[in-house]
Amino acid sequence: MIGQRDTVNGAHFAFTDRWGGVSAVPYEELNLGGAVGDDPAAVTANRELAAKTIGVDPARVVWMNQVHGAGVAVVDGPWGEDPAPRVDAIVTAERGLALAVLTADCVPVLLADPVAGVAAAAHAGRPGMVAGVVPAAVRAMTGLGADPARIVARTGPAVCGRCYEVPETMRAEVAAVEPAAYAETSWGTPALDVSAGVHAQLERLGVHDRAQSPVCTLESHDHFSYRRDRTTGRLAGYVWLD
Ligand SMILES: [Zn+2]
């Protein structure tokens, strides 16, 4: 259910794995994505199960309509009847409001300044990392009073640089923007390490309290991987402040 979680000065971070939910094959078991073809009732049940397991109110979890961009929305409560906006980062200064990001190989990024009471969740795949969704989220946080020196950053399970094979030209284009993302597969072909790129961006922004999940989604059968399975579920990362 919850593969990894930790708490720092009242800032909570949690990442799910694929087990403990009610979805059927190929979304078994804990699919949290609402746009991947799974039964909506199963997704709702899974979201309630995950929220209760981490100790948050399912009605106080904010989701995004992720589009691989760098858009950021500031939120102070759930969207209600409105559709979730097409953004890849959400930021809040509302304590007790949980922000959620969905992934299956992309990098889920959770950020919190426990002193300022500002949190953010971001979805950083290759396009989002290149477009700067993580720096955009940090800028939105500082606009609400956060200090990068106090921001705690956690990145969750994602496809690793030894597995994420890309064409040579794509690696060159991405590395021109973010050199830290340059990688090679375990079989010696061009690759990208998006997590390394995200961490390099955070380091340059002055966010030094960081941790990266050791899990590679493509290698772990306890996690959903789009590159491995194509039709599959979505993992979630959650961040919230006491
Ligand atoms: Zn890997």
Side-chain angles (χ1 to χ4, degrees), residues 111-137:
L111 307 166
D113 176 343
V115 177
V118 179
H123 163 247
R126 171 181 49 81
M129 188 272 289
V130 169
V133 67
V134 175

Side-chain angles (χ1 to χ4, degrees), residues 33-174:
V36 293
D38 194 3
D39 173 6
V43 175
T44 299
N46 289 339
R47 288 182 174 188
E48 288 179 0
L49 284 166
K52 282 174 182 147
T53 301
I54 59 175
V56 304
D57 178 351
R60 298 282 293 163
V61 178
V62 181
W63 303 87
M64 299 176 259
N65 182 0
Q66 301 167 187
V67 292
H68 290 284
V72 182
V74 175
V75 294
D76 57 9
W79 307 118
E81 296 299 306
D82 301 329
R86 293 163 62 85
V87 296
D88 290 88
I90 40 180
V91 179
T92 192
E94 191 74 21
R95 292 182 183 272
L97 187 69
L99 308 179
V101 50
L102 293 165
T103 59
D105 293 338
C106 291
V107 183
V109 185
L110 305 179
L111 307 166
D113 176 343
V115 177
V118 179
H123 163 247
R126 171 181 49 81
M129 188 272 289
V130 169
V133 67
V134 175
V138 171
R139 279 195 297 276
M141 290 179 74
T142 57
L144 293 172
D147 178 349
R150 289 191 307 243
I151 292 176
V152 181
R154 298 288 181 265
T155 65
V159 63
C160 82
R162 297 178 306 282
C163 291
Y164 184 16
E165 183 178 52
V166 296
E168 177 85 61
T169 50
M170 181 180 287
R171 178 173 68 176
E173 286 164 14
V174 172

Side-chain angles (χ1 to χ4, degrees), residues 158-164 215-220:
V159 63
C160 82
R162 297 178 306 282
C163 291
Y164 184 16
V215 172
C216 169
T217 44
L218 193 143
E219 294 174 75
S220 168

Side-chain angles (χ1 to χ4, degrees), residues 22-35:
V22 302
S23 291
V25 174
Y27 308 104
E28 81 279 18
E29 296 168 349
L30 189 69
N31 167 45
L32 296 163

